Amino acid sequence: MARKKGLFIRTYGCQMNVYDSERMADVLRPLGYAPAASPDDADMVIVNTCHIREKASEKVFSELGRLRDAQARRRAAGNDLVIAVAGCVAQAEGAEIMRRQPAVDIVVGPQAYHRLPEMVARAVRAAGHRRPGATKGAGVLDTEFPVEPKFDHLPAPTTVTGGAAFVSVQEGCDKFCTFCVVPYTRGAEYSRPATAILAEARSLVAAGAREITLLGQNVNAWHGAAPDGSTGSLAQLIWALAEIDGLARIRYTTSHPRDMDDALIAAHRDVAALMPYLHLPVQSGSDRVLEAMNRKHDRDHYLRLIDQLRTARPDMALSTDIIVGFPGETDRDFADTLALVRDVGFASAFSFKYSPRPGTPAAMLERQVPEAEKDARLQALQALLGEQQRGFNATLVGRTIPVLFQEAGRKPGQVLGKSPWLQSVHASGPARLVGQIVDVHIVGAHAVSLSGEIVTDDIVQTAVTHPIEVAA
C-alpha cells in the first residue's frame, strides 16, 4: 500500500474559505493526501488566503517565509514539501507571489480548485527532477476564471464533523462596492442549480449533519435553476431544504440588504428550521458614506428591513459588518453610524478600520482618514457593539434553549455547541452528545459565549419553540 501523504491547510478569512479548504482536501484525497497535524508533518501545505483584512498580503508572505524554511529542512533530509497558495490573495497577486517567494510551487485561484490534482502532479514531477541543491524552477500558476463552473468537477463532500456542515450555493459578486476586491478575485455572481444543492445537502444529512449553512458572497442573491427548470429564489431553496428529513437547522451567510426580498423575510417567519439569526452587513450608518461605497442602499432602507425581519420573527438576532474611517468619513458620518447601531441593537458584529485594497476605486479616493482617527472611532464603535452583545447574551440567562453540540470542550467532561442565535454554549456532558441537539438551561452569560446545564440527554427533534424577546 502506498504511503499516505500529509496535507496541512491553513485557512484565513470567511466561511467560504473554510468550505473551499474542505473541498480542496476532498479533491486531493484520491492522490493519497490525508490530514496532517502541522506543517512539519506534511508533504504539502496549502495557505488559503483572504484579501479582505488589513495587510493581508504581508501576512501571507510572513507565513510563506516560515514554510520556506520548513521546506529547506525537509529537502536537506531528502524529502520535499509542496507549498501552495490559494484564495483571494492568490487570485489578485499570483504572479507577485511567484516572484517574491520562489519556494511556492503552486498558486491557485478560487475558481480553479478542481484542477488542483493536475497542478500537484506537475509540481511533484518538477520536484522529482530537481537535483539536490538546485534552484527551484518556475511554479504552477492558475488564476484563470474557467468557462465551466468548478462545482461541476468537485467531488461530493463525504464527512461531517460535529453535526454541522457548509454548502456553497452562490459565489462571486456583481455589486462592486468601492472598497471590496471580491468581484475581482471571485468573479461574477454564479448560482448553483437547486438539484445539485439539494443532493449535496441530503448527502450531508445522511452523513450526520443536523445543521447546514448556505454560503455565498451574496447568498441571498441566489437565483439558481429550480428542479422544474424555472429560476428559483433563496426563499424557495430554503423551503425545499426544510423538507429534508433529519435537517433541523438552516442558516445562510453572507447577505446583502439589496437582496432581502419579502419572500425571504416571510421564510424567517414560516420555516421552523430557519434559525433566528441573520448576518446583514450595513458597512456604515451614513447615507453619504454608503453612496461613496456604492452600496446601493441607504440607512432608512436598512432600518426598514430590520423592522420587517423583527415583525416576521420577533426573536431575530442580527449581526453586521461595519467599516470605520472610509475615505472622507467625517465626525458627523461616524455619529450616524453609532446612531444606527443604537437603533438596531446587534447581537454580534465584525468591525474594521478601512484599509485600501489595491485596484479598488476607494483606494484612489482623496481625503483618507488619519490612522489615529480610525483607531479612536473603532474603539468607540467596538465598545458600543460589545455592550450590545453582552446585553443580548444576558437575555438568555434563565431560559432553556436547544443547543447543537459540535465538539468536546477544553475541560474534561465538557461539550461545546451553538445556540440558535449562534453563540457558543459550554456545558458539562458526555461526548456522545456531539452532533446532537439537546435542551440546555442557560445559567451564565459572558462576552462572546454562554454557559449552561443540560436539562436532559434526550435529543431535541424540533427547532426553537419558545422565541425570546430581543431588545433593540
Side-chain angles (χ1 to χ4, degrees):
M1 178 181 292
R3 179 184 73 88
K4 286 287 186 182
K5 293 169 283 190
L7 172 66
F8 182 84
I9 305 179
R10 177 154 285 146
T11 306
Y12 296 94
C14 65
Q15 288 175 313
M16 180 72 84
N17 267 16
V18 175
Y19 176 87
D20 284 347
S21 291
E22 293 173 352
R23 305 317 307 278
M24 284 189 280
D26 290 340
V27 164
L28 293 172
R29 191 171 292 115
L31 298 185
Y33 285 96
S38 73
D40 291 336
D41 303 319
D43 298 277
M44 179 177 180
V45 174
I46 301 174
V47 182
N48 194 6
T49 62
C50 174
H51 214 306
I52 299 299
R53 303 296 181 256
E54 187 177 9
K55 298 181 180 178
S57 297
E58 289 87 339
K59 293 175 183 176
V60 170
F61 284 109
S62 177
E63 178 74 20
L64 292 176
R66 290 188 288 270
L67 291 174
R68 174 199 59 206
D69 296 341
Q71 186 185 67
R73 290 193 298 270
R74 286 181 63 90
R75 286 179 177 166
N79 300 310
D80 203 0
L81 174 64
V82 175
I83 299 175
V85 182
C88 291
V89 175
Q91 183 69 41
E93 304 182 38
E96 178 68 4
I97 291 170
M98 288 292 196
R99 185 189 70 79
R100 284 183 57 182
Q101 185 49 270
V104 172
D105 298 283
I106 296 170
V107 174
V108 55
Q111 304 306 324
Y113 296 148
H114 58 293
R115 296 201 284 255
L116 258 176
E118 175 190 348
M119 299 172 71
V120 170
R122 288 165 58 192
V124 170
R125 282 198 302 270
H129 295 151
R130 192 180 301 132
R131 298 187 306 275
T135 301
K136 179 185 164 302
V140 183
L141 172 66
D142 190 342
T143 54
E144 296 296 320
F145 289 105
V147 175
E148 76 281 2
K150 66 181 180 184
F151 299 103
D152 293 348
H153 302 275
L154 292 171
T158 56
T159 58
V160 173
T161 302
F166 297 136
V167 174
S168 183
V169 303
Q170 182 273 342
E171 191 167 15
C173 181
D174 297 339
K175 302 297 190 289
F176 288 94
C177 297
T178 58
F179 56 83
C180 186
V181 298
V182 167
Y184 312 104
T185 59
R186 291 278 181 172
E189 289 182 2
Y190 168 76
S191 297
R192 294 178 68 191
T195 51
I197 295 166
L198 293 170
E200 185 170 321
R202 292 188 189 100
S203 174
L204 290 167
V205 171
R210 303 298 314 282
E211 173 182 298
I212 284 178
T213 300
L214 308 178
L215 299 179
Q217 269 79 41
N218 290 295
V219 68
N220 54 341
W222 181 85
H223 54 275
D228 63 2
S230 64
T231 299
S233 68
L234 186 63
Q236 292 171 313
L237 180 63
I238 287 169
W239 275 103
L241 287 163
E243 296 296 319
I244 298 176
D245 187 35
L247 180 58
R249 293 182 169 190
I250 301 170
R251 303 184 189 273
Y252 62 92
T253 193
T254 290
S255 303
H256 195 291
R258 288 167 56 188
D259 296 314
M260 287 298 303
D261 59 25
D262 291 342
L264 186 54
I265 293 171
H268 279 282
R269 179 191 65 213
D270 299 329
V271 180
L274 185 57
M275 291 293 94
Y277 175 90
L278 177 62
H279 185 69
L280 190 63
V282 66
Q283 305 300 357
S284 175
S286 162
D287 283 343
R288 197 181 65 81
V289 173
L290 288 170
E291 183 176 4
M293 289 178 166
N294 195 36
R295 290 288 292 172
K296 302 289 178 63
H297 68 82
D298 59 20
R299 62 178 289 127
D300 286 344
H301 175 76
Y302 188 88
L303 292 172
R304 284 196 303 272
L305 286 176
I306 301 306
D307 287 343
Q308 291 174 306
L309 285 160
R310 284 182 167 153
T311 298
R313 185 77 195 242
D315 63 338
M316 176 72 75
L318 290 151
S319 175
T320 197
D321 293 340
I322 298 176
I323 296 171
V324 301
F326 188 81
E329 183 187 67
T330 65
D331 289 342
R332 174 61 184 272
D333 294 324
F334 180 62
D336 287 345
T337 294
L338 292 179
L340 180 140
V341 170
R342 293 189 186 98
D343 286 344
V344 174
F346 291 104
S348 62
F350 300 96
S351 53
F352 315 96
K353 293 186 298 181
Y354 169 78
S355 60
R357 300 267 70 86
T360 60
M364 297 177 284
L365 292 176
E366 298 179 353
R367 299 177 61 201
Q368 297 285 332
V369 177
E371 284 300 315
E373 189 63 35
K374 291 182 191 177
D375 290 336
R377 290 175 184 174
L378 185 63
Q379 290 177 23
L381 175 62
Q382 290 182 339
L384 175 57
L385 291 168
E387 178 184 340
Q388 291 186 343
Q389 185 169 9
R390 290 189 295 273
F392 175 74
N393 289 347
T395 65
L396 290 170
V397 174
R399 298 180 180 271
T400 298
I401 64 173
V403 173
L404 171 60
F405 286 112
Q406 295 180 270
E407 59 183 305
R410 294 180 180 177
K411 299 178 181 178
Q414 188 182 71
V415 283
L416 175 65
K418 294 292 185 183
S419 78
W421 302 275
L422 211 61
Q423 300 113 318
S424 295
V425 181
H426 304 262
S428 296
R432 67 178 178 82
L433 295 181
V434 171
Q436 305 296 340
I437 300 174
V438 179
D439 275 338
V440 176
H441 183 70
I442 303 302
V443 298
H446 315 288
V448 295
S449 65
L450 305 170
S451 55
E453 298 172 347
I454 292 174
V455 174
T456 173
D457 284 355
D458 293 338
I459 307 305
V460 178
Q461 299 297 334
T462 59
V464 184
T465 54
H466 305 290
I468 67 167
E469 187 70 26
V470 178

